[in-house]
C-alpha cells in the first residue's frame, strides 16, 4: 500500500511537472547566465550574442572556417580600388513581421548603429578611431546598398560579420519604440523572439517563413532551417545543477560542460558529447614593464620552463592540445610555422636564468576561480616554474578585480583568457599596442606594430599569412605573452537531439537541430 | 503602545540612513570597473570612456551619491546598468519569490522545532533528547548547497518525482509552483530546524529550572499543563527573537539555495549584481534587505508582548 501511495504521488508529481511548461518540440538549452539585452551588438556579452544571432542576421556572416560570406546579401561587388562595397540584397527575405527586406532597412539599421546615442559596441571599429572608416552608406536602389570606405581595408567584411557586433544585424524599423528606444528585435533569422523572463529563460519560436539559402549547413551562412517549434535558453548558474538537469531530461543541451565533468556525463548511455576548440586563447600575459620581467631572457626562461603538453592535458583532462600561438587551431591561418611556438626546455631555462641574473625573486601569478581553466593553468604553471627554480606565488582574485588589473596592466604574470577574435590580426591587435596609451596591451614594440598594421591592410591572403607568421616568430622571441591552448567548446546533449555540434564560435547554433518525440 | 511603535520606527530611520551611505560607499570600494566588466576585453579605451559616461561613473562619488540619494527619496532606486531594468520593480519582484521560500521554510521549521526543543529539554539527557539534539547538530552542520544537491539528485534525477530546474509563479500554475518550490523549501527547512531546536531546548531548560515550575508540579498539575501553560509561554521569547533574526537574515540571503535550484530570487540577484558590479542593483538589494531586516525585527518586537506581557509594561 505504501509503495502504491509513493508511486501514485510520484506519478502525480511528474504528470504535473510535465503538464507545466514542458512542451513537445522544445529544445531546452543551458545558459550559465542571463542575456544582457535583445539589442544586437549594443548591450551584449557572449551569451547575448549566442541567443540573438538565432533571431537576427547581417549582410554577411561567418562560414565554418571563420571567413565572411554573403548572408542577407545575394552577392557583393568590390571596386578595383577596394574602396566601394556594393551589396545586392536577396529578394526572398522577409522580416518576422512579414515585411520584405529592402535597401532602406539596411540603411536604417546602419545609421542607427553609427549614431553614438545607440551605443553600438563596434562603432569605433567603423568610424576611423581604430583603423577602418566607413565614409558613406547609401541605397542605390530598392535592393542594392553601397558602402564607401576612406581607405581600402580587407577586414571590412570580417568586421561586419563579427558576433560581438551583433553581425551588424539588419532589423526592421518597428524593432524600435515610437520614441526611438529599442523594443525587441524584428529580424530575419530562423527563430523569432517569443518571451524573455529575466534570469529564468529566453524563449525563441520557429520562424515558419524563414528564407533559407538552401545550401549545406555552414556556420552562420549555410542552411539554417529551424527544425523545432521552440528554443528555450534556460538560465542555470550552477554547473552541478545543470548536469543534474541534463541527466534528468529537464534540459536537452549543455553548451559549456566543465572539463572535469565531461567524462562523467559521457558515461551516461543517453548523453552524447561534442567537443571543438574555440577561437578564444587561454594565455599567460607577462608584464614587460615589470623590473624583473622587462629582461627578455627572464621571460624566455619562463616560456621554456613550462611543459605545455602536460599543462594542457592537466587543465583540460586530456581534451585539448597545446597551441602556443595566437592563431587559433581552427583558423585557416594556422600553419606549420604557427604550430612551432614555445617549447619545454629546462636546460635552456637554467642557462637563461643565469644570464638574466635571477636571484630567486618572487613573481606573482594572478588568476581567478570564475574561469576554472585559468585557475588550473596558474596552479600547474606555478608548479612547473617552481621546479625550474623560479619562485612563483599564485594570487587568486575575483574575476572583476582581475579584469581591472588586466585593464590597468597592474600585474606581473597573469592566467587570462581572451575573447574570440575571428581574424588572427584581431588576436594580435588585442595584445599589441603602446602601453602608455593602453596599459592593457602586453606587447609594446613599434617594429612589430608596423607589421601588424601591414597585415591589417594587406588584401592578399598569402602575403597576410606571411605577415602573421612573422608576428608569431617575433612573439616567440619577445615573449610578451604565452598562449597555452584554445578554450574548448564542450557540449553535452541528450540522445533525443540530432544535429547538434560544438563549434569554434563557442556558442550553440541550433538551426538544423531536431529533437525526437 | 503607539509610543513604543513610533520610538522603534524612529530608531530605524538613522539606521537606514547610515546603511544607505555605507552601502553606497562600500559598493564603490569594491575593486573592479563596471564598464570594463560590461564591455569585456574587446573594448577599446574610447568605448570604455563612453560607457563610463553613460553609467554616470565619470562623476565624482559624492555627485553620484547626491543623485542616487535624491532619487531614493522619491522611491526611485535607478535602473540596472547591465539590463536597464527598473531596480525598484526588479528588487520587489525578486523579493516576493525569495519570501515564498523563506516564509514557508521558517514557518514549518518553527512549528516542528519549538515543540521538539521543549520535548528535548523535558527529557534532558534521555534518548529522545540525545536523538533530537544529535539530529539538530547534524542538520546545522550540513551546508545548504550540499543538501540541496543531494535532494536534486535523489528526487529530481534518481526518482524523477520533482522538476530539477525552473520556477513558475503561483499566479500562473499553483500546483507547478509547489513542485518547483518543494525542494528549496525542504532544504531551508531542514537547515533552520536544527538552529531553532537548539534555541528552543536551551531556553526551555532555563525555565524548567525555575521555582515556579517546581511549584506548578508540586501543586499537582499534569506535566502537559506545566509545559504548555507555564514553560512554553516563558521560554518562547528567545526563540521568537531568533525566528525574527533568522527571517531577516534569510529574506536577504538565500543565494546558495536559489542558485542550486535556479530560483530567480533576491539572493541570486544580489550575487549576480556583485559579480557584474551593477551598482544600482547592489545598492537596491542591500537597502531592501536592510529595510526588511529592520521591519521584521520591529514586527517581532511588537508581537513580543503576546508571549511576554512584561515587555508592554516596560
Amino acid at each position: 500500500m505504501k509503495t502504491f501511495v509513493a508511486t501514485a504521488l510520484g506519478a502525480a508529481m511528474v504528470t504535473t511537472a510535465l503538464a507545466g511548461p514542458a512542451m513537445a518540440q522544445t529544445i531546452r538549452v543551458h545558459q550559465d547566465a542571463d542575456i544582457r539585452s535583445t539589442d544586437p551588438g549594443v548591450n551584449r556579452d557572449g551569451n547575448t550574442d549566442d541567443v540573438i544571432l538565432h533571431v537576427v542576421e547581417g549582410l554577411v556572416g561567418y562560414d565554418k572556417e571563420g571567413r565572411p560570406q554573403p548572408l542577407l546579401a545575394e552577392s557583393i561587388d568590390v571596386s578595383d580600388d577596394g574602396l566601394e562595397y556594393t551589396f545586392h540584397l536577396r529578394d526572398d527575405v522577409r522580416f518576422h513581421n512579414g515585411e520584405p527586406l529592402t535597401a532602406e532597412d539596411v540603411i536604417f539599421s546602419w545609421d542607427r548603429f553609427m549614431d553614438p546615442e545607440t551605443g553600438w559596441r563596434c562603432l569605433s571599429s567603423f568610424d576611423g578611431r581604430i583603423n577602418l572608416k566607413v565614409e558613406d552608406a547609401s541605397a542605390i536602389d530598392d535592393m542594392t546598398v553601397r558602402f564607401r570606405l576612406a581607405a581600402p581595408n580587407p577586414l571590412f567584411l570580417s568586421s561586419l560579420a563579427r558576433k560581438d557586433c551583433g553581425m551588424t544585424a539588419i532589423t526592421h524599423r518597428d524593432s524600435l519604440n515610437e520614441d526611438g528606444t529599442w523594443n525587441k528585435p524584428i529580424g530575419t533569422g530562423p527563430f523569432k523572439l517569443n518571451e524573455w523572463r529575466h534570469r529564468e529563460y529566453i524563449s525563441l519560436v520557429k520562424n515558419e517563413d524563414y528564407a533559407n539559402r538552401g545550401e549545406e549547413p555552414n556556420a552562420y551562412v549555410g542552411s539554417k532551417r529551424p527544425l523545432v517549434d521552440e528554443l528555450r535558453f534556460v538560465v542555470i548558474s550552477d554547473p552541478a545543477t545543470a548536469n543534474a538537469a541534463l541527466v534528468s531530461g529537464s534540459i536537452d543541451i549543455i553548451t559549456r560542460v566543465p572539463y572535469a565533468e565531461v567524462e562523467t556525463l559521457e558515461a551516461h548511455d543517453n548523453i552524447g558529447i561534442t567537443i571543438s576548440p574555440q577561437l578564444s586563447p587561454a594565455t599567460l600575459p607577462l608584464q614587460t614593464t615589470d623590473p624583473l620581467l622587462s629582461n627578455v631572457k627572464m621571460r624566455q626562461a619562463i616560456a621554456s620552463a613550462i611543459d605545455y603538453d602536460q599543462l594542457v592535458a592537466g587543465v583540460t583532462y586530456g581534451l585539448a592540445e597545446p597551441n602556443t600561438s595566437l592563431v587559433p587551431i581552427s583558423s585557416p591561418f594556422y600553419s606549420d610555422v604557427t604550430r612551432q611556438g614555445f617549447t619545454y626546455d629546462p636546460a635552456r631555462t637554467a642557462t637563461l636564468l643565469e644570464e638574466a641574473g635571477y636571484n630567486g625573486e618572487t613573481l606573482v601569478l594572478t588568476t581567478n576561480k570564475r574561469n576554472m581553466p585559468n585557475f588550473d593553468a596558474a596552479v600547474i604553471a606555478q608548479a612547473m616554474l617552481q621546479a625550474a627554480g623560479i619562485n612563483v606565488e599564485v594570487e587568486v582574485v575575483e574575476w572583476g578585480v582581475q579584469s581591472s588589473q588586466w585593464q590597468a596592466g597592474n600585474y606581473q604574470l597573469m592566467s587570462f583568457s581572451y575573447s574570440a577574435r575571428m581574424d588572427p590580426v584581431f588576436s594580435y591587435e588585442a595584445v599589441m599596442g603602446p602601453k602608455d596609451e593602453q596599459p592593457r596591451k602586453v606587447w609594446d614594440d613599434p617594429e612589430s606594430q608596423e607589421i601588424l598594421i601591414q597585415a591589417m591592410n594587406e588584401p592578399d591572403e598569402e602575403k597576410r599569412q606571411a605577415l602573421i607568421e612573422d608576428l608569431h616568430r617575433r612573439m616567440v622571441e619577445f615573449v610578451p605573452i604565452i598562449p597555452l591552448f584554445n578554450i574548448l567548446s564542450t557540449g553535452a546533449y541528450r540522445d533525443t537531439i540530432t544535429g547538434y555540434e560544438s563549434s569554434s564560435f563557442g556558442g550553440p547554433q541550433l538551426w538544423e537541430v531536431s529533437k525526437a518525440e | 503602545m503607539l509610543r513604543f511603535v513610533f520610538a522603534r520606527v524612529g530608531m530605524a530611520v538613522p539606521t537606514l540612513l547610515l546603511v544607505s551611505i555605507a552601502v553606497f560607499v562600500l559598493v564603490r570600494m569594491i575593486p573592479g570597473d563596471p564598464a570594463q566588466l560590461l564591455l569585456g576585453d574587446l573594448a577599446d579605451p574610447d568605448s570604455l570612456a563612453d560607457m563610463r559616461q553613460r553609467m554616470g561613473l565619470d562623476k565624482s562619488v559624492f555627485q553620484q551619491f547626491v543623485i542616487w540619494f535624491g532619487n531614493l527619496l522619491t522611491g526611485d532606486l535607478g535602473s540596472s546598468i547591465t539590463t536597464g531594468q527598473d531596480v525598484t520593480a526588479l528588487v520587489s519582484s525578486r523579493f516576493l519569490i525569495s519570501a515564498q521560500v523563506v516564509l514557508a521554510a521558517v514557518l514549518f521549521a518553527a512549528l516542528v522545532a519549538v515543540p521538539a526543543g521543549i520535548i528535548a529539554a523535558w527529557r534532558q539527557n534521555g534518548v529522545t533528547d540525545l536523538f533530537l539534539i544529535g539530529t539538530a547538530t547534524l542538520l546545522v552542520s550540513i551546508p545548504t548547497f550540499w543538501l540541496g544537491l543531494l535532494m536534486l539528485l535523489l528526487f529530481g534525477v534518481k526518482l524523477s518525482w520533482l522538476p530539477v530546474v525552473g520556477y513558475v509563479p503561483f499566479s500562473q500554475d499553483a500546483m507547478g509552483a509547489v513542485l518547483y518550490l518543494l525542494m528549496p523549501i525542504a532544504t531551508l527547512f531542514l537547515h533552520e530546524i536544527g538552529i531553532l531546536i537548539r534555541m528552543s531546548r536551551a531556553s526551555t531548560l532555563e525555565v524548567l529550572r525555575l521555582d515556579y515550575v517546581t511549584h506548578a508540579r508540586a501543586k499537582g498539575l499534569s506535566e502537559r499543563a506545566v509545559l504548555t501553560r507555564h514553560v512554553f509561554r516563558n521560554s518562547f521569547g528567545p526563540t521568537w527573537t531568533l525566528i525574527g533574526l533568522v527571517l531577516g537574515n534569510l529574506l536577504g540571503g538565500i543565494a546558495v539555495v536559489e542558485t542550486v535550484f535556479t530560483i530567480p530570487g533576491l539572493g541570486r540577484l544580489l550575487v549576480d549584481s556583485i559579480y557584474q558590479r551593477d551598482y544600482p542593483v547592489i545598492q537596491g538589494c542591500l537597502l531592501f534587505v536592510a529595510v526588511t531586516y529592520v521591519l521584521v525585527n520591529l514586527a517581532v518586537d511588537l508581537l513580543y508582548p503576546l508571549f511576554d506581557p512584561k515587555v508592554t509594561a516596560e
Side-chain angles (χ1 to χ4, degrees):
Chain A
M1 185 62 183
K2 273 182 186 165
T3 315
F4 169 74
V5 172
T7 313
L9 179 68
M13 285 171 164
V14 169
T15 312
T16 316
L18 291 178
M23 299 279 290
Q25 291 304 311
T26 293
I27 294 183
R28 289 160 181 264
V29 189
H30 167 236
Q31 185 108 316
D32 58 8
D34 201 2
I35 61 171
R36 291 268 171 87
S37 78
T38 61
D39 196 352
V42 177
N43 184 7
R44 64 152 295 276
D45 59 6
N47 283 329
T48 310
D49 300 340
D50 292 339
V51 173
I52 297 304
L53 292 182
H54 287 82
V55 179
V56 298
E57 296 176 321
L59 292 171
V60 286
Y62 287 122
D63 68 9
K64 263 192 272 196
E65 292 191 319
R67 294 177 200 273
Q69 303 286 356
L71 179 52
L72 291 178
E74 183 68 49
S75 59
I76 304 161
D77 299 331
V78 185
S79 63
D80 291 341
D81 57 7
L83 291 175
E84 284 188 351
Y85 285 72
T86 306
F87 295 83
H88 303 282
L89 303 182
R90 285 163 57 202
D91 59 8
D92 57 343
V93 179
R94 285 183 179 273
F95 287 103
H96 295 157
N97 61 1
E99 297 288 325
L101 169 76
T102 65
E104 194 195 333
D105 298 306
V106 176
I107 298 303
F108 159 76
S109 299
W110 177 256
D111 287 347
R112 181 174 169 269
F113 280 134
M114 295 305 285
D115 180 354
E117 281 300 305
T118 304
W120 188 34
R121 295 293 176 81
C122 295
L123 180 60
S124 58
S125 299
F126 291 93
D127 67 0
R129 274 183 284 173
I130 292 181
N131 187 27
L132 165 64
K133 183 173 185 185
V134 176
E135 280 198 327
D136 177 58
S138 52
I140 304 301
D141 59 40
D142 272 1
M143 300 304 285
T144 314
V145 182
R146 183 169 296 153
F147 285 74
R148 203 177 67 248
L149 312 188
N153 192 307
L155 297 174
F156 173 55
L157 293 179
S158 192
S159 301
L160 283 180
R162 274 167 59 180
K163 274 180 73 183
D164 60 304
C165 300
M167 216 188 256
T168 321
I170 308 304
T171 48
H172 191 268
R173 60 177 66 242
D174 288 352
S175 303
L176 304 185
N177 293 310
E178 278 183 8
D179 63 358
T181 54
W182 182 256
N183 180 21
K184 63 173 187 177
I186 299 175
T188 58
F191 290 91
K192 301 189 272 191
L193 180 69
N194 177 39
E195 185 188 13
W196 177 15
R197 293 251 301 252
H198 290 271
R199 290 179 165 86
E200 288 181 58
Y201 64 80
I202 308 102
S203 162
L204 309 182
V205 290
K206 180 194 265 189
N207 174 10
E208 299 281 2
D209 302 320
Y210 179 63
N212 194 32
R213 290 185 75 99
E215 300 152 8
E216 286 295 302
N218 187 7
Y220 293 96
V221 292
S223 182
K224 291 166 68 179
R225 291 172 302 159
L227 299 182
V228 289
D229 298 324
E230 185 191 7
L231 294 179
R232 188 172 283 210
F233 296 85
V234 185
V235 181
I236 309 172
S237 46
D238 182 48
T241 306
N243 289 353
L246 182 73
V247 172
S248 70
S250 301
I251 55 173
D252 302 296
I253 295 172
I254 300 182
T255 55
R256 295 186 191 97
V257 180
Y259 303 152
E261 301 294 328
V262 168
E263 201 179 333
T264 314
L265 284 179
E266 205 168 18
H268 291 269
D269 292 338
N270 55 354
I271 290 176
I273 298 287
T274 165
I275 295 174
S276 159
Q278 288 185 33
L279 302 164
S280 166
T283 67
L284 296 177
L286 295 90
Q287 184 47 276
T288 54
T289 54
D290 178 77
L292 190 58
L293 295 175
S294 57
N295 186 336
V296 70
K297 288 186 189 297
M298 189 66 207
R299 302 198 299 269
Q300 288 168 343
I302 290 171
S304 56
I306 295 171
D307 182 339
Y308 297 94
D309 288 329
Q310 268 204 40
L311 182 142
V312 175
V315 173
T316 67
Y317 293 76
L319 297 172
E321 56 177 299
N323 176 16
T324 59
S325 146
L326 286 172
V327 182
I329 285 181
S330 56
S331 166
F333 290 93
Y334 189 70
S335 65
D336 286 342
V337 174
T338 56
R339 195 173 286 117
Q340 305 298 318
F342 299 110
T343 47
Y344 176 50
D345 187 347
R348 182 168 181 254
T349 296
T351 313
L352 286 166
L353 285 178
E354 209 176 311
E355 288 174 13
Y358 177 64
N359 282 323
E361 296 94 330
T362 302
L363 280 169
V364 177
L365 170 53
T366 309
T367 187
N368 71 90
K369 277 197 169 178
R370 193 183 81 162
N371 298 322
M372 279 313 282
N374 288 160
F375 176 76
D376 293 341
V379 171
I380 298 175
Q382 179 198 30
M384 289 174 173
L385 294 172
Q386 294 274 113
I390 303 169
N391 281 326
V392 175
E393 198 176 276
V394 171
E395 178 192 46
V396 184
V397 294
E398 194 265 329
W399 167 245
V401 176
Q402 186 182 359
S403 188
S404 287
Q405 290 181 350
W406 170 81
Q407 182 74 29
N410 182 20
Y411 60 89
Q412 283 186 298
L413 272 167
M414 197 172 253
S415 182
F416 186 86
S417 298
Y418 282 83
S419 297
R421 271 113 172 139
M422 289 309 303
D423 197 289
V425 296
F426 291 136
S427 303
Y428 282 102
E429 193 275 331
V431 302
M432 294 174 71
K435 285 183 190 242
D436 51 351
E437 289 170 24
Q438 300 189 54
R440 69 191 169 122
K441 302 287 188 179
V442 296
W443 187 4
D444 187 357
D445 173 36
E447 209 174 299
S448 304
Q449 188 71 21
E450 268 304 307
I451 298 170
L452 173 67
I453 289 166
Q454 280 179 45
M456 281 178 146
N457 294 317
E458 178 55 64
D460 185 281
E461 213 161 89
E462 270 183 36
K463 287 180 183 164
R464 276 183 74 214
Q465 174 84 47
L467 291 165
I468 287 165
E469 288 173 356
D470 195 8
L471 283 174
H472 172 71
R473 285 191 204 94
R474 285 168 170 269
M475 181 197 75
V476 171
E477 191 193 330
F478 195 69
V479 203
I481 187 167
I482 304 173
L484 298 169
F485 63 97
N486 289 107
I487 297 289
L488 297 171
S489 275
T490 42
Y493 56 94
R494 291 186 65 84
D495 58 3
T496 46
I497 297 294
T498 308
Y500 175 65
E501 279 178 25
S502 286
S503 85
S504 57
F505 298 93
Q509 293 161 8
L510 297 165
W511 43 84
E512 301 290 338
V513 177
S514 60
K515 183 180 177 180
E517 289 287 345
Chain B
M1 182 69 177
L2 216 57
R3 247 181 82 188
F4 176 70
V5 174
F6 278 122
R8 289 306 315 268
V9 173
M11 276 164 66
V13 173
T15 308
L16 291 175
L17 184 67
L18 284 175
V19 165
S20 65
I21 296 171
V23 160
F24 192 90
V25 174
L26 288 175
V27 163
R28 273 156 183 76
M29 282 171 68
I30 310 172
D33 177 1
Q36 155 72 25
L37 280 170
L38 199 65
L39 295 177
D41 64 307
L42 292 159
D44 56 274
D46 281 345
S47 310
L48 269 175
D50 284 352
M51 184 55 78
R52 286 196 190 106
Q53 196 186 4
R54 280 166 180 272
M55 290 175 166
L57 297 173
D58 55 335
K59 296 186 172 66
S60 72
V61 174
F62 180 72
Q63 278 177 304
Q64 291 176 43
F65 179 75
V66 170
I67 294 169
W68 177 72
F69 196 73
N71 291 337
L72 181 66
L73 293 178
T74 64
D76 177 10
L77 288 169
S79 308
S80 159
I81 55 179
T82 51
T83 63
Q85 288 172 283
D86 177 65
V87 174
T88 315
L90 181 64
V91 170
S92 350
S93 65
R94 301 295 146 176
F95 171 74
L96 290 177
I97 296 170
S98 298
Q100 291 170 12
V101 179
V102 170
L103 291 176
V106 174
L107 175 71
F108 291 131
L111 287 177
V112 175
V114 173
I118 294 174
I119 292 168
W122 181 46
R123 291 277 179 245
Q124 192 189 6
N125 299 332
V127 178
T128 315
D129 182 28
L130 276 178
F131 171 73
L132 285 171
I133 204 70
T135 309
T137 309
L138 181 71
L139 290 174
V140 170
S141 314
I142 299 176
T144 46
F145 78 90
W146 192 66
L147 191 60
L149 283 175
L150 286 187
M151 284 209 182
L152 270 185
L153 289 176
L154 181 63
F155 298 111
V157 178
K158 289 276 176 211
L159 300 171
S160 301
W161 286 3
L162 294 167
V164 175
V165 287
Y167 167 77
V168 192
F170 266 101
S171 52
Q172 226 177 62
D173 173 13
M175 189 58 191
V178 170
L179 290 181
Y180 281 113
L181 294 178
L182 215 53
M183 281 198 281
I185 290 174
T187 305
L188 264 191
F189 163 79
L190 287 172
H191 191 258
E192 299 312 321
I193 205 175
I195 299 169
L196 293 178
I197 284 179
R198 289 164 65 89
M199 177 52 100
S200 171
R201 179 181 177 274
S203 50
T204 307
L205 275 179
E206 271 182 35
V207 174
L208 278 173
R209 290 190 194 110
L210 298 176
D211 289 345
Y212 68 83
V213 175
T214 317
H215 180 259
R217 280 175 176 152
K219 73 181 182 188
L221 281 181
S222 68
E223 275 301 293
R224 188 178 167 167
V226 172
L227 286 177
T228 52
R229 209 179 302 161
H230 295 283
V231 176
F232 170 68
R233 285 195 65 175
N234 286 296
S235 67
F236 186 58
T239 312
W240 178 240
T241 307
L242 185 69
I243 290 173
L245 291 172
V246 163
L247 258 185
N249 254 336
L250 292 182
L251 284 173
I254 54 163
V256 173
V257 172
E258 287 172 357
T259 303
V260 170
F261 294 106
T262 60
I263 300 168
L266 188 67
R268 222 177 99 195
L269 176 70
L270 177 58
V271 172
D272 289 348
S273 313
I274 292 171
Y275 283 137
Q276 293 165 340
R277 303 293 191 276
D278 194 337
Y279 292 163
V281 179
I282 306 174
Q283 286 157 193
C285 285
L286 290 179
L287 205 61
F288 197 86
V289 168
V291 171
T292 307
Y293 203 89
V294 168
L295 290 181
V296 166
N297 284 290
L298 183 64
V300 167
D301 284 357
L302 295 179
L303 290 172
Y304 215 102
L306 288 178
F307 309 104
D308 191 351
K310 279 182 292 178
V311 173
T312 321
E314 283 158 15

